[in-house]
Amino acid sequence: MTQLIGISGSLRKSSLNTALLRSIDELMPKGATLSIASIEAIPLYNGDLDIEGGPPSVQALKAQIGDADGLLFATPEYNFSIPGVLKNAIDWASRPGFQSVLAHKPVAIIGAAPGAVGTARAQGHLKQVLLGTLSEVFPYPEVLVSKAHERIQNGQLADEPTREVLRKMLEAYVSWIRRMG
Ligand SMILES: Cc1cc2nc3c(=O)[nH]c(=O)nc-3n(C[C@H](O)[C@H](O)[C@H](O)COP(=O)(O)O)c2cc1C
C-alpha cells in the first residue's frame, strides 16, 4: 500500500485547495491512500522553541510526513508566491537541516485559484523552497486548477475534465514513488 499525506496551504474552512485535496480520495489509483494533515496548530517558527523536535503540533506533523511514502501539497497563490502559513510549516518540518523528514521525500504539488494562472507562480516558488529541503519533487504532469471557484462548488470537485487530469497525475505520481522506492 502506498500511503500519501496531503497538506493544504490554506487554513480557510471553505478553502478551494483543501476541497481539492479532499476530492482526491476517490481519484487515487489502486493500492494507494491519501490522508490529510492540518497545519492549523503550527506556531510561528522560532529557533528558541526548536529543541527536541519542536512543539507537540510540529512533532505530530513531522511524524505524519515521516510515516508517509509521499507528500502532496495543495497550495494557494498569495501575492505570486506560497502562503506564509505553508512556508512556516515547511520551515519547521525541514529541521534538522538536510536530515529532516522532508529530505529525499517524494513530494508533489497541486494548486487551485480563482484566477486564470491557477497557482503557476506559487508552484514554481514552492519547488524552489523544496530544493532547500532536499525533497524529491515530482516533475510532471503538473496540475494547476484555474477558475477553481467554478470547478469546485460546495466543497466538491465536480468538473469532470479536472477530475480526469488529477486522476492521471495521481497515477503517474504513485508509479514514480514506487519506482523510486
Ligand atoms: C493575501 C492574498 C493574496 C492573493 N494573491 C493571489 C495571487 O497572487 N494570485 C492568485 O491567483 N490569487 C491570489 N489570491 C486569491 C487566492 O487565489 C484565493 O483567495 C484562493 O481562493 C485562496 O485559496 P483557498 O481557497 O484554498 O483559501 C490572493 C488571496 C489572498 C488572501
Side-chain angles (χ1 to χ4, degrees):
M1 183 63 73
T2 305
Q3 292 178 326
L4 305 186
I5 184 98
I7 293 178
S8 170
S10 175
L11 305 183
R12 268 185 347 119
K13 281 196 176 50
S14 47
S15 156
L16 296 166
N17 284 279
T18 307
L20 193 62
L21 268 188
R22 291 206 183 106
S23 72
I24 274 177
D25 217 19
E26 40 187 64
L27 306 175
M28 289 287 274
K30 276 209 179 70
T33 60
L34 174 96
S35 55
I36 297 177
S38 171
I39 57 171
E40 197 170 1
I42 304 292
L44 288 177
Y45 184 82
N46 178 343
D48 293 341
L49 306 178
D50 198 359
I51 41 173
E52 291 165 8
S57 59
V58 170
Q59 289 186 34
L61 180 68
K62 285 180 177 177
Q64 283 174 295
I65 296 172
D67 288 347
D69 299 303
L71 170 57
L72 177 62
F73 286 112
T75 186
E77 181 166 294
Y78 280 6
N79 297 315
F80 291 12
S81 187
I82 61 173
V85 292
L86 180 57
K87 176 66 163 56
N88 181 61
I90 291 172
D91 289 341
W92 273 113
S94 71
R95 309 308 293 170
F98 307 125
Q99 296 161 37
S100 76
V101 289
L102 291 173
H104 314 296
K105 182 68 60 181
V107 177
I109 301 167
I110 58 175
V117 294
T119 72
R121 294 164 293 220
Q123 291 197 28
H125 278 198
L126 183 48
K127 284 179 186 165
Q128 174 71 37
V129 168
L130 289 169
L131 278 178
T133 71
L134 303 187
S135 299
E136 308 285 345
V137 181
F138 175 66
Y140 184 84
E142 295 176 309
V143 174
L144 304 104
V145 183
S146 59
K147 302 198 188 321
H149 59 302
E150 293 172 10
R151 300 177 205 265
I152 299 169
Q153 290 188 349
N154 303 318
Q156 302 288 323
L157 177 62
D159 185 58
E160 189 47 47
T162 309
R163 290 172 70 86
E164 192 51 30
V165 164
L166 256 178
R167 220 178 261 124
K168 287 200 170 120
M169 177 266 179
L170 291 165
E171 200 173 315
Y173 175 42
V174 169
S175 305
W176 180 75
I177 291 173
R178 289 176 181 154
R179 278 201 306 277
M180 294 213 308

